[in-house]
Amino acid sequence: MSDGWDTVERRALRAAVRRFAEREVLPHLESWEDEGALPRSLHAAAAAAGLLGIGFAEEVGGSGGGPVESFLVAEELILAGGSSGLVASLFTHGIGLPHLVESGDPDQIDRFVRPVLAGASVACLAVTEPGGGSDVAGLTTRAVRDGDHYVVTGAKTFITSGTRADVITTAVRTGGPGARGISLLVLEPTMPGLRVSRPLRKMGWLCSDTAELGFDDVRVPVGNLVGAEDAGFAAIMRQFAAERLSLAVQAVATAQRCLELTMDWVRRRETFGRPLATRQVVRHTVAEMARQVDVARTYTRAVVADWEAGEDVVARVAMAKNTAVAACDAVVDRAVQLHGGAGYLRGVEVERHYRDSRILGIGGGTTEIMTEVVGRLLLA
Ligand SMILES: Cc1cc2nc3c(=O)[nH]c(=O)nc-3n(C[C@H](O)[C@H](O)[C@H](O)COP(=O)(O)OP(=O)(O)OC[C@H]3O[C@@H](n4cnc5c(N)ncnc54)[C@H](O)[C@@H]3O)c2cc1C
């Protein structure tokens, strides 16, 4: 494809990701799925391989590269036989740190950003609350200023890497109701009054731990305020574009991987004395899967390019996420179907992708909320 994703440097990056996946991930992924979390040593290994800091500038401890490089790392990990669950958990700092980097407080960069990008600690982003996730402007976790601290009360749920995180970038209400009263504070699990639940049990993303967090009068130094007070909502929304495009890329990669696994399977699997691939209905199913993957990838990459060029693509980012998720949903379903009973078995890769991909239309803004974003912007 001539969309700029296939330069010499990016091919080398893909090769490095694939080597890392084959050496550090694939032999262990099933056991991490059983254990429900990634080992911290994987973060250190990813940092040593130069992958953890991709997309973050060297001045803040990153390895350089832009958003496309970070999307490409996620894509290649999935294409190599990893999973979106692995990407979500190993790279949770991709949603947990950008607000800190953007606001640029040198002390926060040193205390929080550098150790995470070095693989020595883990970061997460805590926005969603038990009372609701779609309505970010309605969040109720309170932070009240008391001298040189904020006192935080409330709860968060569904927080990826939440049971392991050392750096918890948390959306709190410092002001009045609505979007204008929201700030971001870095909480740390050692702070008295911060409760971390046991890992929540889930349908998929099994290697990615997910937590509920409770805050009972947690005293947080004002130095942990990210950016200006009451300016958190805009910061969250600015970073949503990258998260949604990353999820779109992961949906396309999951679909592409399932397409490849299915093509291999239908060539090998014989029924009634002939390979499945010789049946017209099977060939047409595979052809339709390939069409859906190609359209979703082409559209997603076009939106990524326009976003990188600085165009206003809020609606198209939402459309890209929905397009990629719809393609992925359709393709993983057909992949399982063409695998027959084998597609329903634990340990068979398409089964994992079928479960893992179900979250892609829920996390980072649901399909319905994406559609609402598009509708509102179109008819504004
Ligand atoms: C595995 C996993 C990992 C996650 N990781 C994180 C994380 O790291 N950090 C974090 O902050 N959150 C995380 N989330 C939370 C995720 O972002 C939310 O689940 C999501 O935003 C939806 O919020 P909700 O679950 O409260 O659903 P709700 O907001 O209660 O929505 C329920 C349903 O109603 C629909 N709906 C809601 N409002 C409208 C409307 N106005 N019009 C039409 N339909 C509507 C939704 O589309 C959805 O179908 C994670 C969730 C999961 C399951």
Side-chain angles (χ1 to χ4, degrees), residues 95 125-128 132-134 158-160 202 205 359 362 364 366 368-369:
I95 58 172
L125 176 68
V127 176
T128 304
S134 298
F158 304 139
I159 306 309
T160 298
K202 307 189 294 300
W205 277 17
I359 185 61
I362 297 173
T366 66
E368 292 77 10
I369 295 299

Side-chain angles (χ1 to χ4, degrees), residues 9 55 90 170 187 189 231 236 275 285 329 358 364:
E9 294 80 12
L90 184 57
T170 309
L187 274 64
I236 293 168
T285 302
D329 284 349
R358 190 61 188 84

